[in-house]
Amino acid sequence: MKHELPQLNYSYDALEPYLDAETMRFHHDEHHRGYVEKLNKALEKYPTLQDKSTEDLLSNLPAIPKEIRTAVRNNGGGHFNHSMLWKILNPNPQKSPSDELTVEIDSEFGGIEQLKNRITKLALSLFGSGYVWLCLDGGQNLRIKCMQNQNCPLSTGLRPLFLMDVWEHAYYLKHQNRRQEYVSAFWQVTDWAEVSKNWQEALSSGSRQWREAG
Ligand code: MN
């Protein structure tokens, strides 16, 4: 079984004027496709790994043969991260988290605006390429995390809920070096319904793991 490039649920220009069609086309058709192809190439000699999801691969990197571990980290990460990104972005986004997640965000960060400010600050100070993530940790607490390159929180035992791509390829065609402009645009098309759904799933998969472990 080969990994496949997922289709976008909207057209390339659907996120205009915030994220432009040319960037979306390049980002999805060239960058994301490249990660998928290189991941498949890396797994060619390892049939037993080919049926595993990117989630499984990234959650167990030490179990990946050393010869392809870096390729799986980079390209499996690139595939998983972008697949998640296309769903976080939405032309008709829900502007606020669910009531339950709002309660959690209020108690952890003091409110949604404070959470967004903290993520924005990290996005603007991240040197080089990477993502700012919102995750759930093993104690079911919300955590903000900055990670370089295509590294994925799954590899450090965290469940990813939200990500902001701050690689230059995500914005350079339209915004050039004006990362702040891009970050503001990104918030305009962030779908908090999707983040809330990811949180619910992470909560229930966490308690399932604990039941199984207990
Ligand atoms: Mn990207």
Side-chain angles (χ1 to χ4, degrees), residues 73-131:
R73 180 198 302 274
N74 291 341
N75 299 297
H79 180 26
F80 176 89
N81 299 345
H82 286 93
S83 300
M84 185 171 168
L85 177 69
W86 309 136
K87 294 187 192 163
I88 293 283
L89 299 173
N90 195 306
N92 300 300
Q94 184 177 300
K95 293 288 189 183
S96 323
S98 65
D99 292 346
E100 296 89 336
L101 180 54
T102 298
V103 169
E104 202 63 24
I105 288 173
D106 286 351
S107 91
E108 192 72 34
F109 303 104
I112 182 70
E113 287 312 313
Q114 284 84 342
L115 168 64
K116 283 163 72 175
N117 286 341
R118 279 182 57 179
I119 291 174
T120 296
K121 220 175 232 172
L122 287 169
L124 297 180
S125 61
L126 192 148
F127 183 76
S129 299
Y131 296 80

Side-chain angles (χ1 to χ4, degrees), residues 43-55:
L43 298 176
E44 253 171 14
K45 285 198 289 172
Y46 296 92
T48 55
L49 296 179
Q50 287 167 9
D51 286 333
K52 293 196 182 294
S53 65
T54 46
E55 196 168 350

Side-chain angles (χ1 to χ4, degrees), residues 13 18 21 40 42 45 62-63 66-67 75 83 93 103 121 123 127 136 140 146 148 165 173 183 187 189 192 205-206:
D13 63 358
Y18 304 109
N40 285 328
K45 285 198 289 172
K66 218 169 169 192
E67 158 182 65
N75 299 297
S83 300
V103 169
K121 220 175 232 172
F127 183 76
L136 196 69
Q140 309 235 342
C146 222
Q148 297 270 321
D165 188 344
L173 289 178
V183 169
W187 286 128
V189 283
W192 286 95
S205 86

Side-chain angles (χ1 to χ4, degrees), residues 168-203:
E168 280 187 347
H169 71 218
Y171 62 88
Y172 203 82
L173 289 178
K174 179 177 166 88
H175 300 286
Q176 289 81 46
N177 62 343
R178 302 182 301 276
R179 194 186 276 185
Q180 179 143 29
E181 204 177 273
Y182 159 73
V183 169
S184 309
F186 191 100
W187 286 128
Q188 295 295 327
V189 283
T190 295
D191 183 20
W192 286 95
E194 180 71 14
V195 180
S196 305
K197 193 194 84 185
N198 291 340
W199 176 67
Q200 278 300 344
E201 287 175 3
L203 278 180

Side-chain angles (χ1 to χ4, degrees), residues 35 38-39 42-43 46 49 57-58 60-79 149-152 155:
Y35 296 121
K38 286 181 196 142
L39 175 63
L43 298 176
Y46 296 92
L49 296 179
L57 294 170
L58 296 167
N60 296 291
L61 278 180
I64 308 292
K66 218 169 169 192
E67 158 182 65
I68 60 163
R69 197 177 301 154
T70 301
V72 169
R73 180 198 302 274
N74 291 341
N75 299 297
H79 180 26
N149 303 321
Q150 295 296 350
N151 290 327
C152 181
S155 306

Side-chain angles (χ1 to χ4, degrees), residues 135-138 141 143 145 147 152-160:
C135 305
L136 196 69
D137 71 14
N141 301 302
R143 297 255 312 265
K145 202 156 164 69
M147 296 184 86
C152 181
L154 287 169
S155 306
T156 63
L158 298 168
R159 310 283 313 176

